[in-house]
């Protein structure tokens, strides 16, 4: 560039520097190729004559490399005797070579202002939580929580670092986002971006009625939210993304996955993240419902419709879930006759109670779960193709735990303090060998098996640290449970014994320890139950005391 053009460019830049400094709220410098400042304005456009003649290291480096360069503005000069100048506001510096000259722009004022805002927000967070009666959150530009405070001033440190999709959406859109709270069912939350780097969120838990945990007719509301889906694997991040998208719709959703992967938890989370979150969430296990009760349970009946019917009649679960969500758990077990009637309800959006020809309109979002491959059932003629296509509008597959082993330690750390609190134990850590044993296991029972394993370990632990000896035998001696020979047979026997023991424990716990009721529930005699308990004694964890 000729000297004349350089001089003209310099004059033009000098004229525009004050306006540029005011617009960015930072400092602006103009330098020669060696970094020597010929004009400088401090933050906000204030003249800085003391900078003229000093060296600006970032601008000098950008001139030498002939490319834009960003730095913190704290570069050390090559020759210590050369005076240097940096804006008092500090911050980042962008140096842009413009032919013979270099333009330096600093964001120090904005950085200082953002830091002051963030500090003020952190200080005000407990006050905001107390005034709204709910939970106040500060989050970063990615929606990750920086601080979480309840209305009583208590900090929820275990939630720090968790990413919330609604918070992230507010930061990406750079505008407030209002929607269902992910922490308090029934509450609404506001997410407000304060700057491009951090934002504020709070909910109105104080306005939620005391009975908000219960929907109409005593049906419980969904308890879980998308924040309860724990893990950082790419597979689980894809699940969260699909679930968040599905939550905005009322179309049928099909959730597939192996037993114990958390299908019902995900269904509740989708319900709570959507516009129906304040309406009932009603669930029915199709595999546990006798064929003779399917129709009356789902669609209801009028008084005197059949022998033994309530004289006043009774609404079905579709009517109970009106306005909300109906979860059909294990939809693959639905009898063929009921499949046709379910299809009609989905198409017509109305139900017929048994004993009447007058339809009743219903507005229900249907979510179904299954561990089976529905398309295979369709090919085998055991599931209607038209019902399958009606239910499979949206689908989410939950991967088994063995396919996302990186999430296992995260899940274990999430579950351990909760289980310890449930059983009143001060357990908060484990030996390194415990984590190795957990990672070496295949987890055919997925998260449910992991939770049962950790609960057993917590119960057996006498101190504050889990040891390998507290784990089930299948995890203590994994080689003995690999396929092949005597070891495989021994492993199978131990697995069967362990499963039988768990069934006995669960049955006793469900009836408060009454052995007679437990035996009736298991379909065995009290003598058989006693014999099984005696046989398992000494080969499994100590059995709970009973009342029978």
């Amino acid at each position: 560039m000729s000297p004349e053009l350089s001089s003209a460019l310099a004059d033009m830049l000098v004229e525009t520097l004050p306006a540029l400094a005011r617009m960015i709220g930072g400092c602006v410098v103009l330098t020669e190729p060696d970094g020597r400042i010929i004009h400088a304005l401090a933050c906000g456009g204030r003249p800085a004559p003391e900078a003229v003649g000093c060296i600006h290291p970032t601008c000098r480096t950008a001139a030498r490399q002939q490319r834009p360069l960003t730095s913190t503005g704290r570069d050390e000069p090559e020759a210590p005797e050369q005076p240097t100048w940096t804006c008092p506001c500090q911050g980042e510096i962008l140096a842009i070579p413009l032919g013979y000259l270099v333009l330096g722009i600093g964001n120090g004022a904005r950085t200082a202002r953002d830091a002051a805002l963030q500090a003020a927000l952190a200080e005000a967070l407990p006050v905001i939580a107390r005034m709204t009666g709910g939970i106040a959150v500060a989050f970063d530009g990615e929606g990750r929580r920086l601080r979480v405070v309840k209305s009583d001033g208590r900090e929820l440190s275990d939630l720090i670092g968790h990413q919330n999709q609604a918070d992230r959406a507010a930061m990406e859109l750079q505008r407030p986002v209002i929607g269902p709270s992910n922490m308090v069912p029934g509450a609404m939350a506001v997410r407000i971006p304060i700057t491009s780097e951090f934002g504020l969120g709070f909910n109105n838990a104080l306005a939620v009625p005391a009975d908000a945990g219960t929907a109409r007719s005593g049906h419980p509301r969904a308890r879980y939210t998308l924040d309860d889906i724990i893990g950082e694997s790419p597979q689980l991040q894809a699940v969260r993304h699909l679930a968040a998208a599905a939550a905005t719709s009322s179309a049928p959703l099909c959730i597939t996955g192996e037993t114990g992967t958390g299908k019902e938890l995900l269904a509740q989370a989708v319900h709570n993240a959507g516009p129906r979150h304040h309406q009932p969430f009603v669930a029915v296990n199709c595999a546990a419902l006798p064929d003779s009760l399917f129709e009356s349970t789902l669609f209801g009946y009028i008084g005197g419709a059949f022998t033994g019917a309530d004289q006043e009649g009774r609404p079905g679960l579709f009517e109970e879930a009106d306005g909300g969500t109906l979860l059909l758990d294990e939809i693959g077990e639905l009898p063929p006759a009921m499949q046709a009637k379910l299809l009609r309800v989905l198409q017509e959006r109305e139900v017929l109670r048994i004993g009447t020809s007058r339809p009743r309109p219903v507005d229900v979002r249907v979510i179904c779960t299954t561990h089976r491959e529905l398309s295979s059932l369709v090919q085998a003629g055991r599931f209607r193709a038209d019902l399958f296509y009606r239910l499979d509008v949206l689908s989410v597959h939950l991967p088994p735990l063995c396919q996302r082993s990186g999430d296992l330690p995260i899940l274990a750390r999430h579950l351990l303090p909760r289980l310890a609190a449930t059983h009143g134990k001060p357990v908060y850590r484990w030996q390194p060998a415990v984590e190795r044993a957990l990672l070496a296991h295949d987890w055919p029972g997925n998260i449910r098996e992991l939770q049962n394993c950790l609960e057993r370990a917590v119960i057996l632990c006498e101190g504050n640290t889990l040891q390998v000896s507290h784990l089930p035998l299948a995890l203590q001696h994994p080689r003995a449970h690999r396929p092949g020979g005597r070891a495989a047979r021994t492993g199978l026997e131990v697995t069967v014994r362990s499963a039988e023991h768990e069934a006995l424990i669960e049955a006793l716990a469900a009836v408060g320890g009454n052995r007679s009721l437990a035996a009736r529930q298991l379909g065995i005699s009290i003598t058989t139950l006693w014999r099984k308990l005696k046989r398992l004694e000494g080969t499994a964890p100590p059995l709970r005391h009973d009342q029978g």
Side-chain angles (χ1 to χ4, degrees):
M1 182 180 292
S2 67
E4 293 79 7
L5 288 176
S6 296
S7 177
L9 177 60
D11 291 342
M12 182 181 66
L13 288 174
V14 167
E15 290 180 6
T16 59
L17 289 187
L20 183 59
R22 286 194 301 271
M23 290 176 65
I24 65 172
C27 63
V28 180
V29 297
L30 194 62
T31 78
E32 295 180 341
D34 61 357
R36 196 172 304 277
I37 298 172
I38 59 177
H39 196 79
L41 296 174
C43 294
R46 178 179 59 83
E50 70 278 5
V52 176
C54 295
I55 297 296
H56 197 291
T58 305
C59 291
R60 179 176 54 191
T61 305
R64 289 176 176 176
Q65 298 180 5
Q66 278 300 294
R67 64 182 181 87
L69 186 67
T70 302
S71 78
T72 61
R74 299 182 180 88
D75 309 74
E76 290 295 329
E78 293 178 0
E81 66 276 5
Q82 289 184 297
T84 61
W85 184 85
T86 56
C87 180
C89 296
Q90 301 299 331
E92 289 185 325
I93 291 289
L94 171 63
I96 308 172
L98 299 174
Y100 180 77
L101 303 172
V102 181
L103 175 66
I105 305 171
N107 68 345
R110 183 179 63 81
T111 302
R113 185 171 62 249
D114 287 358
L117 274 173
Q118 191 165 350
L121 175 61
E123 186 177 346
L125 218 57
V127 179
I128 295 172
R130 188 166 61 250
M131 291 177 65
T132 59
I135 298 174
V137 179
F139 47 85
D140 65 14
E142 296 295 323
R144 294 187 184 87
R145 289 164 178 160
L146 303 172
R147 192 181 180 196
V148 184
V149 183
K150 293 192 70 174
S151 57
D152 58 5
R154 186 161 52 92
E155 302 241 3
L156 302 180
S157 56
D158 59 324
L159 297 179
I160 293 175
H162 287 202
Q163 188 180 58
N164 180 274
Q165 296 304 318
D167 297 344
R168 182 176 181 178
M171 297 305 293
E172 289 177 348
L173 296 172
Q174 277 297 291
R175 63 177 176 82
V177 171
I178 302 174
S181 169
N182 290 321
M183 297 183 176
V184 182
M188 295 295 289
V190 181
R191 291 96 175 178
I192 306 172
I194 305 300
T195 72
S196 61
E197 301 298 330
F198 68 93
L200 163 69
F202 55 86
N203 59 44
N204 67 336
L206 194 63
V208 179
D211 61 349
T214 306
R216 297 192 304 268
S217 302
H219 281 290
R221 289 193 185 275
R223 294 186 297 125
Y224 299 105
T225 70
L226 292 176
D227 287 342
D228 292 306
I229 303 174
I230 307 301
E232 298 177 357
S233 63
Q235 299 96 317
L236 206 62
Q237 290 179 13
V239 166
R240 285 199 199 95
H241 178 76
L242 286 172
T248 63
S249 170
S250 290
L253 169 66
C254 186
I255 302 174
T256 61
E258 295 180 4
T259 298
T261 50
K263 296 187 290 295
E264 182 170 351
L265 184 151
L266 180 61
Q268 292 191 27
V270 169
H271 171 82
N272 269 335
R276 297 172 181 258
H277 68 278
H278 58 287
Q279 297 294 335
F281 178 89
V282 181
V284 58
N285 188 337
C286 299
L289 199 61
D291 290 3
S292 58
L293 296 180
F294 260 108
E295 188 170 4
S296 61
T297 300
L298 290 179
F299 309 132
Y301 56 87
I302 64 171
F306 50 85
T307 303
D310 191 322
Q311 292 303 308
E312 296 182 359
R314 184 171 297 178
L317 295 184
F318 266 96
E319 289 183 64
E320 294 286 354
D322 191 24
T325 300
L326 176 63
L327 170 63
L328 298 174
D329 195 15
E330 293 302 340
I331 187 71
E333 311 303 323
L334 196 68
M338 289 305 301
Q339 293 178 21
K341 295 184 177 182
L342 175 60
L343 177 62
R344 181 187 177 281
V345 172
L346 295 176
Q347 289 176 335
E348 305 299 330
R349 295 183 176 275
E350 58 186 25
V351 295
L352 277 174
R353 289 190 183 184
I354 298 176
T356 183
S357 59
R358 189 180 69 182
R360 298 170 183 261
V362 290
D363 174 24
V364 176
R365 199 256 174 101
V366 172
I367 298 179
C368 61
T369 66
T370 179
H371 72 282
R372 297 180 179 274
E373 186 68 43
L374 288 184
S375 58
S376 299
L377 295 180
V378 170
Q379 293 176 358
R382 296 170 56 190
F383 201 86
R384 293 179 62 106
D386 46 5
L387 178 59
F388 168 69
Y389 293 122
R390 172 67 67 173
L391 292 172
D392 201 40
V393 176
L394 297 170
S395 61
V396 178
H397 178 71
L398 278 170
L401 195 53
C402 63
Q403 291 182 9
R404 52 185 188 97
S405 58
D407 288 338
L408 197 145
I410 301 173
L411 274 166
R413 283 192 291 270
H414 175 76
L415 292 170
L416 183 60
R418 297 167 185 257
L419 295 171
T422 298
H423 293 281
K425 293 292 195 78
V427 184
Y428 64 90
R429 62 183 181 182
W430 55 63
Q431 291 180 332
V434 170
E435 185 165 326
R436 290 196 295 271
L438 295 178
L439 290 170
H441 190 56
D442 289 336
W443 301 106
N446 295 291
I447 300 173
R448 186 178 295 127
E449 182 186 3
L450 173 63
Q451 181 170 338
N452 291 345
C453 167
L454 291 174
E455 185 169 16
R456 175 189 190 277
V458 166
I459 293 172
L460 295 181
C461 183
E462 296 180 355
N464 56 25
T465 305
L466 293 185
Q467 301 176 12
V468 174
S469 60
H470 299 143
L471 300 176
L473 293 177
L475 275 75
Q476 292 184 37
H477 309 290
R479 291 183 180 178
H481 300 271
R482 291 177 181 170
R486 180 182 178 89
R489 290 194 297 273
T490 303
L492 178 61
E493 292 168 2
V494 171
T495 301
V496 171
R497 259 201 324 269
S498 176
E500 187 174 48
H501 169 254
E502 292 294 337
L504 295 176
I505 291 296
E506 289 180 5
L508 285 168
V511 295
N514 188 303
R515 295 191 181 190
S516 298
L517 291 178
R520 194 177 311 156
Q521 185 181 30
L522 292 166
I524 59 178
S525 67
I526 186 68
T527 304
T528 301
L529 176 63
W530 179 84
R531 187 170 62 250
K532 288 180 178 294
L533 292 174
K534 289 295 291 182
R535 188 178 73 245
L536 289 169
E537 197 172 345
T539 66
L543 296 168
R544 304 171 188 170
H545 296 293
D546 68 304
Q547 300 170 355

